[in-house]
Amino acid sequence: SSQQHQEAVHHCASSRCGEDSHGKLYKNDTETQLYSLKMYSIIHIFYNTIYDEDEVLLALAEQLGNFTMLVGGPEYVHCLLPPLESLATVEETVVRDKAVESLRKISQEHSPVDLEVHFEPLVKRLASGDWFTSRTSACGLFSVCYPRVSSTVKAEIRQHFRTLCSDDTPMVRRAAASKLGEFAKVLEPEYVKSDIISLFTALASDEQDSVRLLAVEACVSIATLLPQEDLETLVMPTLRQAAEDKSWRVRYMVADKFSELQKAVGSEITKNDLVPAFQNLLKDCEAEVRAAAANKVKEFCENLPEDNREQIIMTHILPCVKELVSDTNQHVKSALASVIMGLSTILGKDNTIEHLLPLFLAQLKDECPEVRLNIISNLDCVNEVIGIRQLSQSLLPAIVELAEDAKWRVRLAIIEYMPLLAGQLGVEFFDEKLNTLCMAWLIDHVYAIREAATCNLMKLVEKFGAEWAQNTIVPKVLGMANDPNYLHRMTTLFCINALSEACGQEITTKQMLPVVLKMSNDQVANVRFNVAKSLQKIGPVLDSNALQTEVKPVLEKLATDSDMDVKYFAQEAISGMFDFLLSTKLLNFNSLNFIFLLFFLCSFGPSITIPNQRLQDGICHGTLSNQTLKVIACLSQLHTFTSSAASSFVLCGKNTK
Amino acid sequence: LSSTSTMETTNFSVPSAEKVDGFPRRSMRRARQRRSHSSSQFRYQSSQVELTPLPLLKDAPVAELHDLFCKKLQQCCVLFDFLDCVADLKGKEIKRAALNELVESVATSRGVLIEPLYPEAIKMISVNIFRTLPPSENPEFDPEEDEPTLEASWPHLQLVYEFFLRFLESPDFQPSMAKRYIDQKFVLQLLELFDSEDPREREYLKTILHRVYGKLLGLRAYIRKQINNIFLRFIYETEHFNGVAELLEILGSIINGFALPLKAEHKQFLVRVLIPLHTAKSLSIFHAQLAYCVVQFMEKDATVTEFIIRGLLKYWPKTCTQKEVMFLGEIEEILDVIEPSQFIRIQEPLFKQIAACISSPHFQVAERALYFWNNEYILSLIEENCQVILPLVFATLYRVSKEHWNQTIVSLIYNVLKTFMEMNSKLFDDLTASYKLPAAARLWRADRRTLAAGSGVPIATCLGFLFFASSLSHHHLFL
């Protein structure tokens, strides 16, 4: 089956590590040759028998890139080329891309001579293939062999690349356009001007927008390669045209790559050309483009030349930003909200208070929760400049509103920012305004919120310390243990699970444990088995005395509960504690004792009561007890036992059968 | 129509019912997401000309008719903003009336289409219909589930398409003159419009492209090549193109007209484009059209049958049962017209797959496969090759009849078994007799294999190894 083939391919390659370290053993020439011949035929068998499963081909294409040592080292690496060549012509894009990736990798392992004798002809064959797949693959290989071949071959490679840039299938032109920048980088400067620029201009005015937009990407690398004085004449006309392309996809690409472009063309052109272009993108008619541009506002402003940065931002960028704050599209607004706070560090305290603060406040009141969330999640930038107090008046209502939003995902998102906010606002503000919210989430009607609220409490305790927890949180949490709603009672247990470690042994043993133990008498089974789970969880925090005298009796009682799930989890907890004791080496077994214990359990295994038949069925047809499995699992946790534990599994299987 | 895309979003409030469960209904979410947009906006910015009504075409003296027609065409090149539904109502009305007149004139009166009008007409059409399609409002647009975004400027666009269609269908239409203006670039832009989300637009495009293909012979190869490129991009790059079904529909009739023997180009199209199209995630949207094309190919040239069936078997869905049912449907369509000599060539792999489908726990898959036995032609093929097919499916039928959870499937299988029994009772009895023995033997073998795979050694050795391993690990502990 394809699965097995896939595994086989992976296996072949994973044996590499072992072989690599023994690599020297094969120094003997005939041996090496024999060996590489063997590998070669294995590869061919693979290739010829299983060529029609894409998943297998993908694995093959990936692994062949790591085969150099297996075929006898760099001098034989060219024998990997034929299979990779045919993989590079496969229709399925992922396979082809992987094959190209592997070819690129092994190209570096070719000697310059081999590169010209074996590799370069392959690239040429691919570049002049009939079907578009081989030509697209060729596009990715030019740049890896170009630097290492003679000048005549270089000329041929340039010619091939030129041909592919004007290929009549758009797929090939797209591939060529996407590799244009990379190819430009390895070319000699004179050819960048003579060859690349004309190709770039042609691709950037292609009839298909999918090609044009890739040319924008290449623009970044090309601009970095050219001297400043040539940029204006060679690159800028095309870039200007792209920024006003009739297809929104191309404009989107320009917006998306704006910071890179800005860095590539330098500050002078940025001032004269890119600032107006950026303004246009921020006012674009397509929301997609505006959103992409809005995302770049901060980076763009940061990278403006410092001498008149402030002036450019205040006169050119800020007016556009102000409009975006009340954009009709929520994606645009939320993109802006995710970066706008960053402007405050650039503009300084006074400008922030005068110009930006009103925008922040407007966005904090935005109808779309995502916008508000993005503002809140970036509060730290403002905090540094003007202090969060300036915002706290508006912040609080915004947080409260998000905290009570009808959509639970929004509530979930704001909970995640609570620890951050708490850190910035300080403990007094938190106690005063936000603590009630945090506690209210614990009784939310959506489980995910209660869960997140529990986790939130833990993070708060980590921030504010155990003493704070003892005074503010723990009493409220423990109070919920008497709630008539069993879901709230369970929340108490979940909180205890989360808090015990952060609160430390004393609070856990003195305040939490009694509550947990008391709840073992709860009338709802779900609460009782969660008690068992909690006891297992907090066990490591408790002292061994409490474990022996308080926890163990309760667990033993629960293990005889009438509900089978309670029974199951109680037994889990008991063996879990055994597990815990084992890992802390409290039980000092030597390895032989383990094996005897194992035999003991194996032979008596089936007679130990099986707590939950349904769960057991899945494990071992109901014949092997949970306890036995647990012990084996314990064994396997210790590294040195892995092999013996694995064979014990086999043994147990037979024994009980 | 235009009101749907200009819906206000700013004051949209969440209804109280929605607050209860926190899960907005799909329709609500969509309404909320809906925003005004159209890529066409980009070009509105420049042109705002006041239109004045021209005299009616029917009142014009013959000598001035062409001149007036030309003026009306030019008038119709002015574009309007339909997102603002109250903007320039007067202008919109004038253009609408002019377009209506043009449509009527081209459709009914003879001798209107003279050469100088061709460039003007094509220019008017190009200016109106060619535009970059806007980004989809819903990034995860699911053509089966979601409402498509309708084109805001449809009131005018429809008339332009109508005009184009009448223009192509007019008895006066001269391909030799048109080919100068309807060129490769024009066709390429036309094909790009098939990605429109608006089904009305795609419907018009389909008819129009079909006419262009029919009338302009010089463009045929180019059109086929570009459709190929669109499909290849759809399969291997984007997985998104709204007009696949429409293009396939056109191809269906194009394939119908292929000359025999099939050219290599056409066979390549079948093997490298049509068959891989079956891998698309959104297959259900265009499957009927795709299956039609495939069957057309077979009817043209029976020798491609093996390619097709082996191709389908290669891409057989592994997890998507909905697609599996579609594949089975297509196989039945193919078997419906298969030549017996071709059937023999593919029966083995095919019936192995069918057997696998019958044992599918998804009852629709099993049911669809079992329905093959209700098809008289397929049944006759099975009967002719009973010696080969029955051994392939027998074990599956026997086993599934005992253990399938769905009663309908069980009774269908009994019918199939009955049919086989009637077909060849000797073979059936032989297989029944030998089934139980090999079943037991298989189990035994499997058991042995797992044991061998698990340890690779007999139990005694295993025990020894265990002690050896334990002493080793003991050693390690002390280290």
Side-chain angles (χ1 to χ4, degrees):
Chain A
S1 74
S2 70
Q3 181 89 44
Q4 286 166 338
H5 283 308
Q6 241 175 306
E7 278 165 16
V9 171
H10 280 295
H11 186 74
C12 249
S14 61
S15 68
R16 183 182 58 116
C17 321
E19 304 294 349
D20 264 354
S21 53
H22 300 299
K24 288 214 165 62
L25 288 178
Y26 295 105
K27 261 293 171 247
N28 182 321
D29 238 21
T30 46
E31 213 175 311
T32 317
Q33 272 175 6
L34 206 68
Y35 182 68
S36 66
L37 198 71
K38 252 191 322 200
M39 281 315 296
Y40 190 59
S41 50
I42 289 174
I43 293 164
H44 273 255
I45 291 166
F46 261 126
Y47 192 67
N48 293 327
T49 50
I50 50 168
Y51 63 94
D52 65 342
E53 274 285 348
D54 287 336
E55 275 78 16
V56 182
L57 294 186
L58 178 66
L60 194 58
E62 185 181 355
Q63 300 299 344
L64 284 179
N66 306 325
F67 263 38
T68 311
M69 288 320 285
L70 287 176
V71 294
E75 48 194 313
Y76 300 98
V77 69
H78 58 82
C79 75
L80 293 172
L81 294 180
L84 279 173
E85 180 176 355
S86 29
L87 286 171
T89 61
V90 162
E91 251 95 357
E92 182 51 55
T93 331
V94 284
V95 177
R96 218 176 336 126
D97 290 348
K98 224 12 134 205
V100 170
E101 204 183 302
S102 288
L103 278 170
R104 286 167 72 106
K105 201 164 164 188
I106 64 170
S107 74
Q108 302 308 316
E109 282 149 4
H110 281 71
S111 67
V113 179
D114 278 349
L115 205 64
E116 273 192 39
V117 176
H118 298 287
F119 197 87
E120 204 269 338
L122 168 141
V123 178
K124 271 193 225 162
R125 278 197 300 279
L126 287 177
S128 45
D130 281 337
W131 190 240
F132 77 95
T133 51
S134 71
R135 302 200 297 276
T136 46
S137 295
C139 292
L141 298 175
F142 293 125
S143 60
V144 288
C145 55
Y146 189 86
R148 299 174 60 208
V149 292
S150 66
S151 55
T152 39
V153 180
K154 279 185 175 177
E156 281 172 27
I157 291 181
R158 287 197 303 274
Q159 181 53 44
H160 277 295
F161 194 81
R162 257 201 300 279
T163 321
L164 293 184
C165 281
S166 52
D167 197 278
D168 71 338
T169 57
M171 287 77 87
V172 179
R173 292 202 302 278
R174 277 196 286 276
S178 66
K179 301 290 177 196
L180 183 66
E182 178 190 290
F183 189 56
K185 279 185 194 159
V186 298
L187 242 57
E188 294 81 357
E190 67 262 35
Y191 294 121
V192 172
K193 264 197 216 175
S194 63
D195 283 31
I196 294 291
I197 295 298
S198 63
L199 296 176
F200 168 62
T201 323
L203 290 170
S205 48
D206 195 274
E207 59 191 8
Q208 302 233 341
D209 59 0
S210 53
V211 180
R212 294 200 299 274
L213 66 89
L214 290 169
V216 173
E217 260 188 301
C219 186
V220 178
S221 355
I222 293 172
T224 40
L225 294 170
L226 291 174
Q228 192 68 31
E229 61 269 23
D230 289 333
L231 284 177
E232 182 53 43
T233 51
L234 298 180
V235 175
M236 285 318 289
T238 314
L239 183 57
R240 273 185 217 117
Q241 179 194 320
E244 292 183 350
D245 197 282
K246 68 179 193 308
S247 164
W248 62 270
R249 289 186 188 84
V250 180
R251 302 198 301 278
Y252 172 88
M253 201 59 162
V254 175
D256 197 42
K257 298 276 164 218
F258 217 83
S259 316
E260 287 95 325
L261 287 167
Q262 186 189 6
K263 279 178 203 152
V265 297
S267 56
E268 216 32 54
I269 294 179
T270 298
K271 257 188 266 176
N272 302 333
D273 276 279
L274 292 193
V275 171
F278 194 62
Q279 282 175 291
N280 283 337
L281 291 172
L282 287 174
K283 289 188 229 158
D284 197 279
C285 61
E286 283 304 341
E288 262 74 2
V289 182
R290 290 200 302 276
N295 252 325
K296 301 285 165 189
V297 164
K298 181 190 156 206
E299 262 182 272
F300 180 75
C301 294
E302 263 174 359
N303 296 331
L304 284 169
E306 272 189 44
D307 47 340
N308 45 7
R309 180 160 74 184
E310 194 177 319
Q311 181 253 328
I312 293 175
I313 297 175
M314 297 307 290
T315 52
H316 298 290
I317 307 298
L318 207 58
C320 301
V321 170
K322 275 181 186 158
E323 273 176 48
L324 289 184
V325 167
S326 49
D327 198 278
T328 51
N329 184 289
Q330 62 173 43
H331 299 290
V332 177
K333 285 187 291 189
S334 75
L336 181 69
S338 64
V339 296
I340 191 173
M341 309 293 267
L343 289 180
S344 48
T345 28
I346 304 169
L347 289 178
K349 188 171 179 181
D350 295 339
N351 279 326
T352 303
I353 292 175
E354 194 185 339
H355 299 283
L356 292 177
L357 200 55
L359 302 181
F360 300 158
L361 296 179
Q363 293 214 301
L364 268 179
K365 295 191 187 88
D366 197 277
E367 45 144 22
C368 165
E370 208 181 315
V371 176
R372 284 174 267 153
L373 266 180
N374 281 346
I375 289 287
I376 291 175
S377 58
N378 286 301
L379 279 175
D380 46 342
C381 315
V382 179
N383 194 24
E384 287 161 20
V385 183
I386 57 170
I388 212 159
R389 293 278 163 184
Q390 291 270 6
L391 277 173
S392 56
Q393 280 302 324
S394 325
L395 202 53
L396 201 63
I399 294 173
V400 172
E401 209 180 310
L402 285 170
E404 288 161 358
D405 197 280
K407 296 191 180 59
W408 67 267
R409 284 175 212 281
V410 174
R411 300 200 295 275
L412 186 64
I414 189 74
I415 292 177
E416 277 161 13
Y417 291 117
M418 269 300 150
L420 184 81
L421 283 171
Q424 280 167 9
L425 294 167
V427 71
E428 302 93 40
F429 188 90
F430 185 86
D431 280 345
E432 197 180 318
K433 317 268 186 184
L434 298 177
N435 199 13
T436 35
L437 280 179
C438 291
M439 300 315 287
W441 281 319
L442 288 174
I443 50 167
D444 197 282
H445 59 268
V446 176
Y447 175 75
I449 300 297
R450 298 198 297 273
E451 193 188 21
T454 314
C455 181
N456 174 43
L457 286 187
M458 182 182 77
K459 287 184 188 152
L460 289 174
V461 174
E462 280 167 5
K463 219 163 212 128
F464 293 152
E467 199 185 324
W468 174 81
Q470 195 177 3
N471 295 329
T472 48
I473 294 185
V474 175
K476 287 184 192 169
V477 167
L478 296 181
M480 279 164 59
N482 301 319
D483 199 287
N485 186 337
Y486 84 99
L487 290 171
H488 298 171
R489 296 201 295 275
M490 288 204 320
T491 308
T492 302
L493 290 171
F494 298 145
C495 287
I496 289 173
N497 293 349
L499 294 176
S500 61
E501 204 172 322
C503 288
Q505 196 180 58
E506 196 184 322
I507 298 178
T508 309
T509 318
K510 292 219 174 107
Q511 301 193 1
M512 295 177 177
L513 187 60
V515 176
V516 178
L517 295 175
K518 204 178 128 215
M519 287 169 89
S520 66
N521 299 318
D522 201 288
Q523 57 189 2
V524 179
N526 295 44
V527 177
R528 292 201 302 276
F529 75 63
N530 272 299
V531 167
K533 282 175 162 181
S534 286
L535 288 175
Q536 183 178 357
K537 192 101 185 195
I538 64 175
V541 184
L542 299 171
D543 61 65
S544 49
N545 185 30
L547 275 180
Q548 284 299 327
T549 57
E550 298 184 64
V551 176
K552 211 166 145 241
V554 169
L555 280 178
E556 278 164 0
K557 194 187 77 187
L558 287 174
T560 59
D561 200 279
S562 58
D563 185 278
M564 64 174 170
D565 290 319
V566 177
K567 238 192 248 177
Y568 170 76
F569 284 110
Q571 294 194 353
E572 280 281 285
I574 292 168
S575 57
M577 282 167 69
F578 171 71
D579 198 4
F580 163 69
L581 293 173
L582 199 67
S583 65
T584 52
K585 296 189 180 162
L586 287 174
L587 296 177
N588 221 343
F589 281 106
N590 71 30
S591 57
L592 217 57
N593 281 353
F594 260 117
I595 301 303
F596 285 129
L597 176 72
L598 193 70
F599 275 114
F600 177 76
L601 285 170
C602 283
S603 49
F604 290 96
S607 61
I608 295 174
T609 48
I610 298 157
N612 185 329
Q613 200 60 45
R614 270 175 306 147
L615 283 159
Q616 282 301 310
D617 276 348
I619 304 172
C620 204
H621 311 291
T623 50
L624 202 61
S625 85
N626 190 38
Q627 300 290 346
T628 318
L629 282 174
K630 259 294 175 191
V631 174
I632 298 167
C634 293
L635 281 175
S636 65
Q637 279 172 6
L638 298 172
H639 274 298
T640 46
F641 284 110
T642 313
S643 58
S644 64
S647 41
S648 315
F649 253 113
V650 177
L651 191 74
C652 291
K654 279 173 201 155
N655 188 6
T656 50
K657 229 173 228 167
Chain B
L1 285 175
S2 59
S3 68
T4 52
S5 44
T6 54
M7 200 157 175
E8 270 299 321
T9 57
T10 38
N11 297 325
F12 190 86
S13 61
V14 185
S16 54
E18 201 189 320
K19 284 195 172 131
V20 178
D21 59 357
F23 291 98
R25 271 170 222 102
R26 231 187 147 94
S27 58
M28 306 259 192
R29 197 199 64 197
R30 206 154 40 226
R32 206 182 160 81
Q33 278 180 348
R34 189 158 281 159
R35 60 203 151 96
S36 54
H37 85 33
S38 160
S39 63
S40 324
Q41 276 178 343
F42 204 62
R43 55 190 186 160
Y44 288 134
Q45 293 163 351
S46 53
S47 60
Q48 268 328 318
V49 203
E50 191 84 1
L51 289 192
T52 45
L54 293 165
L56 293 178
L57 277 175
K58 65 174 162 49
D59 299 339
V62 181
E64 289 167 27
L65 181 69
H66 289 123
D67 194 39
L68 184 62
F69 198 93
C70 200
K71 278 192 181 138
K72 295 225 174 206
L73 282 174
Q74 283 159 0
Q75 200 168 47
C76 292
C77 288
V78 179
L79 299 171
F80 292 92
D81 182 2
F82 272 86
L83 297 172
D84 182 357
C85 52
V86 289
D88 203 3
L89 285 175
K90 193 167 136 259
K92 282 178 188 167
E93 178 52 28
I94 292 169
K95 179 169 169 180
R96 197 191 59 80
L99 280 168
N100 264 328
E101 266 192 281
L102 290 172
V103 171
E104 202 189 309
S105 169
V106 172
T108 56
S109 43
R110 297 290 308 265
V112 187
L113 287 184
I114 56 163
E115 192 172 358
L117 289 182
Y118 279 76
E120 293 297 332
I122 297 299
K123 185 181 160 215
M124 188 279 280
I125 292 162
S126 309
V127 167
N128 277 284
I129 66 172
F130 294 153
R131 62 206 194 281
T132 310
L133 294 168
S136 182
E137 281 189 24
N138 179 358
E140 310 97 74
F141 175 68
D142 176 356
E144 278 184 295
E145 285 272 326
D146 299 328
E147 291 283 332
T149 314
L150 298 178
E151 173 60 47
S153 60
W154 190 244
H156 282 174
L157 206 55
Q158 180 190 13
L159 291 168
V160 176
Y161 277 121
E162 189 66 35
F163 171 77
F164 191 12
L165 192 58
R166 301 296 171 133
F167 172 73
L168 291 166
E169 286 174 346
S170 161
D172 293 340
F173 180 78
Q174 301 265 344
S176 55
M177 286 178 203
K179 73 179 180 196
R180 258 178 275 163
Y181 311 106
I182 302 182
D183 54 5
Q184 295 193 345
K185 188 159 185 268
F186 184 93
V187 168
L188 186 67
Q189 296 185 79
L190 200 65
L191 282 169
E192 275 171 10
L193 290 175
F194 274 84
D195 195 21
S196 169
E197 241 177 70
D198 193 331
R200 302 167 304 180
E201 181 167 19
R202 295 200 305 269
E203 192 60 29
Y204 264 111
L205 285 164
K206 185 180 73 186
T207 326
I208 285 169
L209 185 69
H210 201 197
R211 297 286 175 277
V212 171
Y213 190 88
K215 304 219 166 180
L216 299 164
L217 308 186
L219 287 171
R220 287 187 173 183
Y222 183 78
I223 292 176
R224 287 199 304 270
K225 199 169 86 185
Q226 293 307 327
I227 293 180
N228 259 354
N229 288 344
I230 289 176
F231 284 164
L232 287 168
R233 185 173 184 216
F234 168 75
I235 302 167
Y236 295 114
E237 291 182 20
T238 58
E239 286 194 36
H240 176 90
F241 192 82
N242 290 316
V244 177
E246 282 80 4
L247 289 176
L248 282 170
E249 214 173 315
I250 299 170
L251 280 168
S253 67
I254 292 178
I255 295 166
N256 214 345
F258 281 164
L260 282 173
L262 285 179
K263 283 194 218 160
E265 175 211 327
H266 301 323
K267 280 193 185 164
Q268 191 178 46
F269 170 68
L270 172 70
V271 177
R272 301 194 123 153
V273 181
L274 281 190
I275 300 295
L277 263 180
H278 287 86
T279 58
K281 206 163 54 187
S282 50
L283 179 68
S284 59
I285 297 153
F286 55 83
H287 181 253
Q289 288 85 350
L290 181 59
Y292 178 77
C293 286
V294 168
V295 172
Q296 287 294 306
F297 255 109
M298 275 184 52
E299 292 205 83
K300 270 276 150 193
D301 180 356
T303 60
V304 299
T305 312
E306 197 177 340
F307 273 135
I308 293 174
I309 297 203
R310 288 194 187 273
L312 288 179
L313 292 176
K314 176 182 169 187
Y315 294 127
W316 202 273
K318 293 193 172 59
T319 53
C320 180
T321 45
Q322 191 205 359
K323 267 173 91 173
E324 217 172 341
V325 173
M326 282 186 259
F327 269 55
L328 284 166
E330 187 168 346
I331 291 284
E332 181 163 4
E333 279 182 57
I334 290 170
L335 291 181
D336 249 336
V337 296
I338 199 168
E339 284 193 7
S341 60
Q342 295 294 326
F343 180 80
I344 293 169
R345 298 167 76 109
I346 47 83
Q347 57 183 359
E348 266 197 61
L350 180 62
F351 274 84
K352 274 183 194 156
Q353 181 60 58
I354 290 174
C357 290
I358 290 172
S359 61
S360 166
H362 197 298
F363 80 98
Q364 284 178 337
V365 175
E367 187 180 52
R368 190 70 194 81
L370 289 164
Y371 277 162
F372 283 12
W373 275 265
N374 295 346
N375 182 315
E376 277 185 30
Y377 181 63
I378 298 178
L379 202 60
S380 73
L381 291 168
I382 295 176
E383 190 163 8
E384 273 169 49
N385 302 288
C386 195
Q387 286 290 348
V388 182
I389 293 172
L390 185 51
L392 286 174
V393 294
F394 183 81
T396 307
L397 289 172
Y398 197 92
R399 183 173 52 81
V400 178
S401 73
K402 296 255 182 283
E403 56 191 43
H404 206 284
W405 62 272
N406 184 300
Q407 275 314 304
T408 320
I409 299 301
V410 173
S411 59
L412 277 171
I413 289 187
Y414 275 123
N415 285 338
V416 170
L417 284 170
K418 215 175 95 208
T419 324
F420 272 125
M421 204 151 42
E422 287 158 8
M423 260 180 211
N424 191 337
S425 56
K426 168 86 178 56
L427 179 62
F428 191 88
D429 289 345
D430 287 352
L431 287 168
T432 319
S434 60
Y435 177 72
K436 279 184 182 160
L437 184 64
R442 263 200 310 280
L443 265 179
W444 183 75
R445 268 204 307 275
D447 209 30
R448 252 179 37 145
R449 248 206 313 276
T450 45
L451 287 190
S455 60
V457 280
I459 292 173
T461 329
C462 188
L463 269 172
F465 172 70
L466 188 67
F467 280 108
F468 173 68
S470 68
S471 60
L472 264 184
S473 26
H474 189 77
H475 191 62
H476 274 296
L477 268 189
F478 285 107
L479 280 177

